Amino acid sequence: MSAVFEVRGLVKRFEGLRAVNALDLDIPSGQITSLIGPNGAGKTTVFNMLSGITRPDAGRISLAGQDVTGLASWQMARAGVCRTFQNPRLFWNLTVRENVAIAIQQERSLLREMYALFFAGRRYVEEAGALLALVGLEDCADWPASRLSYGHMRRLEIARALAGSAKIIMVDEPVAGMNPSEVDELMRLLDTVRQRGLAVLLIEHNMRLVLNISDRVIVLSSGTKIAEGTPAEIRVDPLVIEAYLAS
Amino acid sequence: MSTPVRLVLIAAVLSAPWLITALGWRPSYLLQIATLLPIMMIASLSETVIAGFGGQISVGQAGFMAVGAYATALLVGSAGWPWLPSILGGVVATVIVAGAVGVPALRLRGPYFVMATLAFGGIAYTVATNWIDVTGGPSGLRNLEPPDFESLGIHPDHGTFYIVWLVCFAAIALVAWFRETLLGRSLLAVREDELAAAAVGIHVALVKSLSFMFSGGLAGLSGALLPLFVGIVTPDTFGTNQSLQILAQVLIGGMELISGAIVGTVLLLVVNELLRDFAEYQLLAFGLIMLGVILFFPRGVVGELRARRAASGKRRP
Ligand SMILES: Nc1ncnc2c1ncn2[C@@H]1O[C@H](COP(=O)(O)OP(=O)(O)OP(=O)(O)O)[C@@H](O)[C@H]1O
Ligand SMILES: [Mg+2]
């Protein structure tokens, strides 16, 4: 299994604090890889660097063999690295459909892009419909995003991340604050995304759920990778047990 | 806006010149006000786009009006072009200037962007006053021949009146269309959450720049209609006062709404005219009105009425 997303020697310092320390990651397509670790381990910081929101202090990121280190956030998204946020950040005044439609834009040349911005809205709105059907939100397509239930907001964020040409989707604590049936639905959705051949990188604190759904698990503690393996291996890893007991 | 309201408005505009003549009370003055109104509405709409949709307040819109006005006047006066292509030329010139100003200025946010637009307005005013060879300096560009309405059997003042209103309706439709484009929607998203917008692949800088150029083009269109209306262009029309007036118009009506720009422009124009004879109190009254709006209509008159109606609608079973 070759990795679609390769990260080598990723470093981020915040005023002396090493939030992420020489991290290597290999994220394969068609699999769910989970990134776990105690609070403050650096998980969200990794997402911020991989999505171009925070600039790494060192390291190399490559996507499908292409070096994408240092790209701006919108360029990362267009290259195929898409994400959700730990707290949903939707466009609350836009409709559900519009939230997805505006995330589809990814013309390659400036002229084409300008043309699309002025004249191709309808095409994008149609494409948005298919993604909404995938995540089961087609019935509330014309609601303002702010009217969605919490579980549906999470799903809309995932639909928005899938828009365009996502190759890897990074999901930051998607089930926090959800009730058990919402959790089940979301897990099924992530499984669908995996079956479509995308790489999924999941941050999650709920261990039962992580061990259940993941193909591989990476454990981060104080910015350093302390373990990596299948759920069965991680469950019995003494370093992991120690890190979780210590926190 | 509902269809009956639209029809009433169109009928009112169509019959206004006759009504004004029939009324017999200072007809040329009233017609002047009724012709200035749509020009100022277009200027307000330019602020609606950048401040209301884009969340970036500009206090330099009069600078773009100046570019449109001078470019048009030069094309008509010096180059001898007909009015229609000259006005289009004025708009194109303004869009280009707005691009040149916007690309660096839009890196700035909040108060810093406001300062940049203020500076642009000041520079435009200064250039208009001092580049005498081109702009005619303080006395401006004069003796612009109006279009030949008389050979069509139309009174020139009426002809101008209808043209500016026609352009104004087109501008309203254009802004309504802009709001629904991918660009308009992306702009709303950028205003709401720039970081999230970039994270889903929106080219934030491009969206902002194009929107700023669109807004500048509208202000330029408003400015380009002025020489058609008054036959001259002078710098004192385009001072910071004018930019503040435009901002006040959309604040009073409601920044985020097209109808807010329309209503706000009407309200402020009426107030200005009522107070014209009390020049020493004009600024005081203006201040009191702004204070009142901020206290009682923080979303503007139209914005507030809409919000209240929506709230009362929800309460009903
Ligand atoms: N912008 C920042 N400036 C300074 N320190 C930061 C910044 N962002 C994160 N940190 C610090 O970096 C460390 C890692 O934070 P991060 O948010 O990545 O942790 P996390 O693993 O996502 O935690 P959680 O499980 O609580 O979400 C923490 O100590 C945090 O305080
Ligand atoms: Mg986190």
Side-chain angles (χ1 to χ4, degrees):
Chain A
M1 178 57 73
S2 75
V4 65
F5 205 48
E6 274 182 24
V7 177
R8 292 289 172 267
L10 202 63
V11 174
K12 185 70 203 178
R13 297 180 207 93
F14 291 119
E15 292 145 22
L17 170 82
R18 277 184 172 257
V20 175
N21 198 0
L23 182 69
D24 295 347
L25 297 172
D26 291 282
I27 318 290
S29 303
Q31 289 196 10
I32 295 179
T33 308
S34 287
L35 189 59
I36 64 169
N39 290 112
K43 304 180 296 292
T44 299
T45 305
V46 169
F47 270 25
N48 285 343
M49 284 189 282
L50 298 187
S51 57
I53 287 171
T54 309
R55 242 191 127 76
D57 293 321
R60 239 183 70 95
I61 306 168
S62 71
L63 177 71
Q66 295 241 316
D67 187 4
V68 292
T69 320
L71 289 188
S73 167
W74 65 274
Q75 292 168 318
M76 277 292 194
R78 290 183 188 202
V81 186
C82 301
R83 69 170 294 174
T84 69
F85 292 91
Q86 195 161 346
N87 300 303
R89 296 178 79 150
L90 296 167
F91 307 119
W92 306 109
N93 293 319
L94 300 187
T95 66
V96 169
R97 191 196 304 280
E98 286 164 349
N99 262 272
V100 178
I102 60 172
I104 297 176
Q105 37 190 314
Q106 46 165 325
E107 308 297 332
R108 297 272 168 207
S109 82
L110 190 63
L111 273 180
R112 275 169 164 245
E113 170 145 23
M114 280 162 58
Y115 176 84
L117 281 170
F118 281 106
F119 302 109
R122 199 172 292 266
R123 197 181 81 222
Y124 288 137
V125 164
E126 278 160 20
E127 277 182 48
L131 281 160
L132 288 177
L134 177 77
V135 300
L137 287 177
E138 65 271 48
D139 290 339
C140 22
D142 296 315
W143 294 11
S146 53
R147 248 177 75 192
L148 293 177
S149 70
Y150 193 72
H152 285 185
M153 285 176 187
R154 290 289 189 190
R155 285 205 254 156
L156 176 54
E157 247 202 330
I158 290 175
R160 202 177 58 172
L162 290 173
S165 57
K167 293 191 178 76
I168 170 166
I169 163 163
M170 309 191 288
V171 196
D172 198 347
E173 298 196 25
V175 304
M178 280 188 179
N179 65 42
S181 78
E182 286 175 327
V183 171
D184 282 349
E185 282 173 23
L186 197 107
M187 286 303 123
R188 246 176 283 140
L189 175 58
L190 288 184
D191 187 42
T192 314
V193 174
R194 159 170 61 189
Q195 279 166 20
R196 294 188 133 210
L198 271 78
V200 179
L201 183 58
L202 170 71
I203 293 180
E204 189 44 65
H205 278 297
N206 182 334
M207 277 308 262
R208 191 181 58 84
L209 192 146
V210 165
L211 297 175
N212 226 331
I213 194 173
S214 311
D215 297 294
R216 293 183 67 72
V217 181
I218 294 165
V219 190
L220 213 58
S221 179
S222 308
T224 309
K225 180 156 69 175
I226 58 167
E228 179 168 5
T230 63
E233 290 162 357
I234 293 300
R235 200 192 305 265
V236 295
D237 190 304
L239 275 176
V240 178
I241 295 165
E242 191 190 328
Y244 271 84
L245 287 179
S247 70
Chain B
M1 227 184 290
S2 61
T3 316
V5 175
R6 269 186 227 182
L7 289 177
V8 168
L9 276 180
I10 290 171
V13 168
L14 281 177
S15 55
W18 281 285
L19 287 178
I20 286 169
T21 315
L23 201 61
W25 184 77
R26 301 173 68 186
S28 68
Y29 165 73
L30 279 186
L31 191 65
Q32 233 174 15
I33 300 300
T35 311
L36 184 62
L37 182 62
I39 297 179
M40 289 313 291
M41 277 182 188
I42 300 172
S44 295
L45 286 171
S46 79
E47 186 78 45
T48 301
V49 168
I50 196 67
F53 301 168
Q56 301 255 45
I57 287 177
S58 162
V59 284
Q61 294 308 90
F64 295 118
M65 285 179 77
V67 176
Y70 277 99
T72 304
L74 285 170
L75 288 172
V76 171
S78 308
W81 285 21
W83 278 96
L84 184 64
S86 300
I87 289 172
L88 287 177
V91 173
V92 170
T94 320
V95 169
I96 293 168
V97 171
V101 173
V103 170
L106 287 163
R107 292 161 180 257
L108 308 170
R109 284 199 191 101
Y112 301 100
F113 176 80
V114 176
M115 291 302 291
T117 59
L118 186 66
F120 165 71
I123 291 167
Y125 177 77
T126 310
V127 169
T129 314
N130 293 304
W131 197 13
I132 296 172
D133 292 343
V134 175
T135 65
S139 60
L141 300 170
R142 288 165 185 273
N143 303 324
L144 301 168
E145 273 297 310
D148 183 14
F149 288 114
E150 266 153 271
S151 66
L152 298 170
I154 306 171
H155 188 287
D157 292 347
H158 292 187
T160 308
F161 172 89
Y162 286 126
I163 284 185
V164 293
W165 272 103
L166 186 71
V167 175
C168 179
F169 283 132
I172 292 171
L174 193 67
V175 174
W177 169 80
F178 172 87
R179 226 184 108 90
E180 302 304 319
T181 59
L182 200 59
L183 178 59
R185 289 310 186 195
S186 302
L187 183 63
L188 294 178
V190 168
R191 178 189 69 188
E192 217 176 301
D193 190 338
E194 195 167 321
L195 187 134
V200 302
I202 292 173
H203 191 343
V204 173
L206 182 69
V207 165
K208 282 187 179 180
S209 303
L210 287 178
S211 304
F212 192 66
M213 289 161 83
F214 184 80
S215 159
L218 279 170
L221 176 63
S222 157
L225 293 173
L226 273 174
L228 175 74
F229 169 38
V230 287
I232 62 170
V233 180
T234 52
D236 51 313
T237 324
F238 308 109
T240 301
N241 276 349
Q242 182 75 282
S243 291
L244 290 175
Q245 164 103 16
I246 293 167
L247 177 61
Q249 283 164 358
V250 297
L251 275 176
I252 286 175
M255 282 234 279
E256 296 168 25
L257 300 165
I258 292 173
S259 48
I262 296 171
V263 171
T265 311
V266 174
L267 287 179
L268 216 59
L269 203 74
V270 169
V271 169
N272 273 348
E273 292 308 318
L274 290 179
L275 292 173
R276 195 168 282 274
D277 299 334
F278 310 97
E280 61 268 46
Y281 299 114
Q282 196 164 357
L283 213 58
L284 177 67
F286 192 78
L288 285 177
I289 289 169
M290 286 310 288
L291 199 63
V293 166
I294 290 163
L295 286 178
F296 300 110
F297 300 96
R299 280 171 283 198
V301 175
V302 182
E304 203 66 31
L305 290 180
R306 272 205 184 184
R308 282 186 200 165
R309 204 168 51 186
S312 71
K314 247 180 226 160
R315 254 182 267 120
R316 261 182 244 126

